[in-house]
Amino acid sequence: MAQRFLRPFVSTMGSRLATAALSYGLFWALSRMLGKPQLGGFSLLMNIFLMAQLLPLLGLSIPLMRRIATNSESAAVEVTNALFFAVPVSVALALFIGAWGHFSNQHELAPLFWLVGASLLPTAWTVVAEVALLGQDRLTDVARINFFEALLRTVLSVVSVRLGYGLEGVFVIFLSLRCVAALLYLRHPCLPLPRPEHWRWSLQKRNWREVPVFFSIAFVAALVSRLDVLTLSHLRGLDEVAIYAAASRLYDAAQMLPTVTALLILPTLSRQFISARAHLSVTLLMAVRLSLTFGLALALLACAFAQPVIDLLYRADMAGAAGVLRWLIFAAVIMVVDVILSSTMLAAKAQTQDLRSLAVGLFALALALATLVPRFGSIGTSAAVTFGLGVRVAVRLRWAVRELDMPSPWIHLARVAAACIAGLCTMTAMRPHGAVACASSGLLAYATVVVLSGGLGKNPLTGLRADIALLTKNGPEPERSPHAHSSS
């Protein structure tokens, strides 16, 4: 049984990592071949597409996947009605994006906006097909097609730019490969072909009734993830977008860590919510505490080497991306905690609270962007992203304390925050001595404050072993006496 699930998991994660590497490889290659305005334009257009591709089903991916997973006989009818639902939405999105480019202040990119909009037309089918395959536990098939598309997009786009076709050639290739992916899904043996006779007015009405809550979650999540680039492009221009994108692409790669964390922790949280509710709050606190304590240590290490990494990867005129990366690496740590808490909300069927957390985080992000971007540009954008994530996590933590009786995490948060500040101050003082000295001294200061403040308890190794054992148990845990690792 374990082998049955381990092989698809490893294959899927390998494909996802390879796809992410290809995506970053394309950006890196373009950063060497294009000027900053063109690179910023590429980043802006890709962010618009990545945001829009989440919307053809208006958030109904989850209920569609659930229906196909629990009733395979309804797959043909559900797929057909989902496609009839998604096509008009995609057409509306395509027209909106094209008009946006026509009337925005990025006039030189207007034709490319239309190409991005047109890419949503085949995406209407690919989104439905991918959700249907995921409902059938065919994750590996989806990952392979995504990898195949990413590989061709990277290679052909680089060749196109080398031949002098610029961004126009890149997005023509992008549109063409979206059509190829749609054709591959049409030929998939496990996917029923959409048929007009399967259309049902009753199912269309059911879908529209489900839209408000699920669409709100999908839209707010999409907006939160892309509002930074949209705001920066409007207020500061494409040069600043290029600098921000150079760092945010590395931040996107770091998002694999929250993804893996969710895959590891969600089964335990789900099991405990059903069969061991009393232990859920303890497990959740352990997960949050470990993620923050060790995540911030890694973030300090990355912060120390941010400038050498940016200098190694990019041209000299992109050196300002190091300051952006220093902020975003801490956002990645907060994102791990956010994913854990969001997974807990899903396990507890608290979708409304999840939406409320996203909405409050979006408001905080928008306020911070409006305040920081005009003055600080790309660095202000990264600081705003970190602030918005922090507010969202605080709202989720408040929910967990109130609804799940989770022990208060605030004292531990204060401890690791103080330790992180001590590490950053030490690194700043040691900056003239190089990155290695910054990293070693900053980590030493951080660890010292964590230990002296009691962040790891009286017996850190014993507490750590108990925490890890708690997080990796497969079933309900027996009662255990509190170990030396105190939450207060």
Side-chain angles (χ1 to χ4, degrees):
M1 182 68 71
Q3 191 70 19
R4 173 190 170 189
F5 291 104
L6 180 61
R7 187 174 299 171
F9 173 78
V10 172
S11 176
T12 301
M13 287 304 300
S15 297
R16 292 183 66 175
L17 287 170
T19 301
L22 287 169
S23 178
Y24 177 76
L26 174 59
F27 178 83
W28 179 84
L30 293 179
S31 73
R32 297 283 176 170
M33 296 186 291
L34 300 176
K36 284 168 66 175
Q38 287 182 300
L39 186 64
F42 171 78
S43 299
L44 171 62
L45 291 163
M46 284 303 300
N47 272 274
I48 290 172
F49 174 80
L50 292 173
M51 180 176 65
Q53 74 165 348
L54 301 176
L55 302 179
L57 282 173
L58 297 182
L60 298 184
S61 300
I62 293 175
L64 174 60
M65 187 188 308
R66 185 184 301 140
R67 291 187 183 104
I68 293 176
T70 56
N71 186 7
S72 59
E73 295 179 357
S74 68
V77 175
E78 292 292 349
V79 165
T80 297
N81 283 272
L83 181 61
F84 274 93
F85 182 93
V87 167
V89 176
S90 294
V91 171
L93 286 170
L95 293 175
F96 175 77
I97 291 173
W100 179 2
H102 183 76
F103 292 106
S104 72
N105 57 357
Q106 311 295 345
H107 301 295
E108 68 278 11
L109 298 178
L112 304 184
F113 274 84
W114 285 108
L115 287 173
V116 170
S119 300
L120 289 173
L121 302 181
T123 298
W125 165 241
T126 62
V127 167
V128 172
E130 288 174 355
V131 171
L133 289 173
L134 292 175
Q136 300 175 41
D137 290 328
R138 311 286 301 188
L139 288 78
T140 304
D141 295 352
V142 174
R144 285 172 178 168
I145 292 178
N146 288 339
F147 172 75
F148 173 74
E149 183 182 4
L151 176 62
L152 288 181
R153 181 168 61 241
T154 300
V155 173
L156 296 178
S157 294
V158 170
V159 171
S160 175
V161 173
R162 286 288 187 190
L163 293 176
Y165 294 107
L167 286 182
E168 291 81 1
V170 170
F171 282 99
V172 167
I173 290 169
F174 184 79
L175 171 59
S176 302
L177 291 176
R178 285 276 77 196
C179 295
V180 170
L183 290 173
L184 289 176
Y185 283 123
L186 278 173
R187 294 175 58 85
H188 196 286
C190 295
L191 278 174
L193 290 177
R195 298 182 183 278
E197 59 267 24
H198 288 155
W199 183 88
R200 300 286 187 273
W201 174 241
S202 60
L203 296 186
Q204 295 298 315
K205 290 195 296 183
R206 179 206 65 188
N207 288 340
W208 281 106
R209 282 197 303 268
E210 292 179 336
V211 161
V213 172
F214 287 105
F215 172 68
S216 298
I217 294 174
F219 178 74
V220 173
L223 192 58
V224 164
S225 64
R226 305 299 165 186
L227 187 61
D228 49 358
V229 171
L230 300 180
T231 303
L232 184 60
S233 67
H234 179 71
L235 295 179
R236 294 296 293 259
L238 296 179
D239 282 14
E240 286 285 336
V241 172
I243 292 175
Y244 180 77
S248 66
R249 286 288 175 160
L250 297 173
Y251 169 65
D252 290 341
Q255 295 310 297
M256 279 295 173
L257 179 59
T259 300
V260 174
T261 300
L263 290 171
L264 291 176
I265 199 67
L266 183 56
T268 298
L269 295 174
S270 299
R271 284 190 299 268
Q272 291 190 344
F273 182 77
I274 295 173
S275 59
R277 187 78 59 88
H279 297 283
L280 176 62
S281 60
V282 179
T283 302
L284 184 59
L285 181 63
M286 295 298 127
V288 170
R289 185 164 61 207
L290 290 175
S291 298
L292 278 178
T293 302
F294 293 99
L296 288 175
L298 293 174
L300 287 170
L301 183 64
C303 188
F305 289 96
Q307 192 67 61
V309 168
I310 293 297
D311 291 343
L312 176 66
L313 293 175
Y314 300 112
R315 304 187 307 251
D317 60 349
M318 306 292 283
V324 177
L325 183 58
R326 291 189 183 100
W327 276 103
L328 291 181
I329 202 64
F330 289 101
V333 177
I334 300 173
M335 180 64 80
V336 175
V337 181
D338 183 71
V339 167
I340 292 172
L341 293 169
S342 177
S343 299
T344 305
M345 287 179 163
L346 293 176
K349 299 181 180 180
Q351 291 94 337
T352 303
Q353 287 76 12
D354 185 37
L355 175 59
R356 184 179 296 116
S357 303
L358 287 169
V360 173
L362 175 60
F363 176 78
L365 172 62
L367 184 63
L369 287 171
T371 303
L372 298 175
V373 172
R375 182 173 181 182
F376 299 105
S378 56
I379 292 180
T381 304
S382 58
V385 168
T386 307
F387 174 75
L389 269 172
V391 170
R392 193 164 86 200
V393 165
V395 175
R396 294 192 192 278
L397 282 172
R398 183 173 176 270
W399 169 84
V401 171
R402 185 179 67 251
E403 300 295 332
L404 302 178
D405 294 325
M406 186 180 82
S408 174
W410 309 117
I411 293 178
H412 181 73
L413 291 180
R415 286 169 176 162
V416 294
C420 188
I421 292 172
L424 288 172
C425 290
T426 304
M427 288 168 58
T428 301
M430 295 296 293
R431 184 173 296 176
H433 301 285
V436 174
C438 279
S440 56
S441 60
L443 287 175
L444 179 61
Y446 174 79
T448 300
V449 174
V450 167
V451 172
L452 292 180
S453 66
L456 294 179
K458 296 179 181 179
N459 298 298
L461 293 179
T462 301
L464 179 60
R465 284 196 297 268
D467 289 347
I468 293 175
L470 178 64
L471 290 176
T472 54
K473 280 190 177 292
N474 291 322
E477 293 81 356
E479 292 288 345
R480 63 188 181 96
S481 59
H483 57 72
H485 197 144
S486 171
S487 64
S488 56

